[in-house]
Structures are given as structure tokens and as C-alpha cells.
Amino acid sequence: MHKKRILIVDDDKELSEIISDMLESYGYEVIRTETAEEAEFLLSEENFHLILLDINLPDETGLDFCKTLRKSSNGVPIIFASARTSETDRITGFDIGGDDYLPKPYSMKELLSRVNALIRRSYGGIDIEKEVSFGSINVNITKRTVTKGGKSISLSLREFDLLACLCEHINSPVSKERLLSEVWGAFSSVEPSTLTVHIRWLREKLEDDPAEPRYIKTVFKVGYMLHI
């Protein structure tokens, strides 16, 4: 099937690489650039299905770049991703033609959810749907739904993102540092105890015996693992 192509415009190389790796693992094709000028050239030469656009760029603001793009009648969906979180910036982003606005720091799972939703809304579907089942539990990562014994389980945003991250690494330990980075954001200051609490909540909702978990295992001195 034809892959959806995403253009990341952000001068934070490390963050762009993390995002790119994550999106590519879900079947997207990703191109990265650091400047508005290079992004404009790429868009003149190639087709993209979505742009992930930072506001603070080296040569011009993402807001100005979006204005230019919309004046040229290019309607490619745009998600602003920025550390600028004021209401004014968000409103401006939408007013000039942005489709979504995601404040930094954000989790990789939240970003994936926004990308999937916008692709689905703009093009009528996405190419790949990820689903994981273990015991009587079914996790549809694409649709962000969880059932146990056929009954819907309600998870918070962070609980689902944490579970989805573990689902991506079945039977492999995932470090606490990686879970905190992917679920709460690469530059968040969340304490490790927050992760511990969310793991406990997940076990209470999914495990038959939370005190003796069958699936969500603690890996000593490392982190956690989904064992199936």
C-alpha cells in the first residue's frame, strides 16, 4: 500500500529523529528538514500528506511559513508543534490555516494519535492499523481502544500511551527513562514515581490479580515489560 508521507520542519535534530523513528515504525514515510526555506523547496518538488511544523525556525517563523503556504493554495494538513503555548499563538496558528496545535513537551503517543486523526480526517483512512491481544485483553493502538473480555476498559490519556508503548516492545524490557520520554515527553520533568503510579493503575484495570501481575511485569533495575 502507498505510504503516507510526512514532512517534519524543526531545527531540533534530536527530537525530529525520535519523532521520525516513531512515525516510520507505524508505516509512515518521513522527511526531516530544519528550515522553512528547505521545506518550501521540498514542497515544490514532492508531495506530502502532512506537515509537522515548529514555530521557532532559524530563518522565519512557522507561522509565517504557514501563511505563505496557504496563500499558494497548498492545503496540506499542518500540525503546529511548539514550545510556544500561549493562547494567542494557538489561535493565530488556527486562524492562518493550521489544522492542529500540539504544545511541547508532548508524548510520542499523543503525537501519533493527532497525526492518525488528521490523516484519517483528510484522506479517509490510514494504511496500517495496529492491534495487540493478550489473554482476554485487546488493545487497538490505532483507534485507542481497550477491551477486556469484550467489555470496554476506560483508560486515561497517559495510561493508554503507556500501555501502547509497552505493546510496541512485547516481551522486551523498556527502561523507565524511555517510558517517561515517550509517554510524558522527551523534555518533561515528570518524576519516576509518576510512572510507578500509572503502572499500578494499569494493573488494577487490566490484571486479574494486580498484586501478582501476569502481563505487566517489573524488570528489576530496568523498567517494565509486557509479557505475553
Side-chain angles (χ1 to χ4, degrees):
M1 297 177 108
H2 180 66
K3 290 184 177 182
K4 297 294 189 293
R5 306 185 76 231
I6 296 176
L7 177 63
I8 298 176
V9 189
D10 194 324
D11 63 344
D12 187 330
K13 294 181 181 179
E14 182 180 358
L15 180 59
S16 290
E17 187 173 352
I18 293 171
I19 294 170
S20 178
D21 288 346
M22 183 273 293
L23 291 173
E24 286 175 349
S25 75
Y26 278 85
Y28 291 106
E29 181 182 344
V30 182
I31 304 295
R32 304 193 305 267
T33 183
E34 299 174 31
T35 67
E37 182 180 9
E38 187 176 355
E40 187 174 354
F41 172 76
L42 287 169
L43 287 163
S44 69
E45 297 290 320
E46 305 177 48
N47 292 320
F48 292 90
H49 296 90
L50 183 144
I51 300 174
L52 184 64
L53 179 61
D54 190 17
I55 290 181
N56 296 320
L57 298 173
D59 48 349
E60 68 173 299
T61 70
L63 297 173
D64 289 336
F65 176 68
C66 180
K67 288 179 185 176
T68 301
L69 204 60
R70 292 304 187 236
K71 285 180 181 177
S72 68
S73 299
N74 190 323
V76 59
I78 293 175
I79 298 178
F80 284 108
S82 176
R84 289 167 56 167
T85 59
S86 73
E87 183 179 31
T88 299
D89 284 328
R90 292 198 303 274
I91 291 173
T92 299
F94 286 117
D95 283 347
I96 63 175
D99 297 275
D100 203 348
Y101 197 109
L102 191 59
K104 295 179 181 178
Y106 50 79
S107 76
M108 293 299 101
K109 298 301 168 293
E110 182 176 7
L111 172 61
L112 176 64
S113 179
R114 301 284 188 99
V115 168
N116 283 343
L118 188 50
I119 290 286
R120 203 161 40 235
R121 190 164 72 241
S122 302
Y123 305 103
I126 56 178
D127 293 332
I128 295 176
E129 182 170 306
K130 282 204 172 184
E131 198 169 5
V132 175
S133 296
F134 48 97
S136 64
I137 298 166
N138 177 270
V139 183
N140 189 308
I141 298 174
T142 306
K143 296 179 179 178
R144 297 182 67 85
T145 60
V146 181
T147 60
K148 182 177 181 182
K151 295 182 179 180
S152 179
I153 301 294
S154 178
L155 300 183
S156 70
L157 171 68
R158 299 301 184 203
E159 287 169 353
F160 185 89
D161 288 349
L162 180 55
L163 178 60
C165 188
L166 292 172
C167 285
E168 290 171 11
H169 306 279
I170 294 170
N171 295 327
S172 297
V174 186
S175 69
K176 293 179 181 179
E177 293 76 16
R178 181 165 186 172
L179 288 168
L180 286 168
S181 174
E182 292 201 14
V183 176
W184 279 270
F187 305 105
S188 72
S189 56
V190 174
E191 295 294 327
S193 58
T194 301
L195 172 60
T196 304
V197 170
H198 280 73
I199 288 288
R200 188 181 78 237
W201 289 342
L202 270 182
R203 285 170 171 164
E204 289 173 351
K205 292 182 178 182
L206 300 179
E207 299 279 3
D208 292 331
D209 183 0
E212 295 289 338
R214 177 180 176 184
Y215 302 112
I216 303 174
K217 300 282 191 179
T218 299
V219 181
F220 184 60
K221 291 188 176 180
V222 180
Y224 300 95
M225 173 177 69
L226 180 62
H227 176 73
I228 64 176

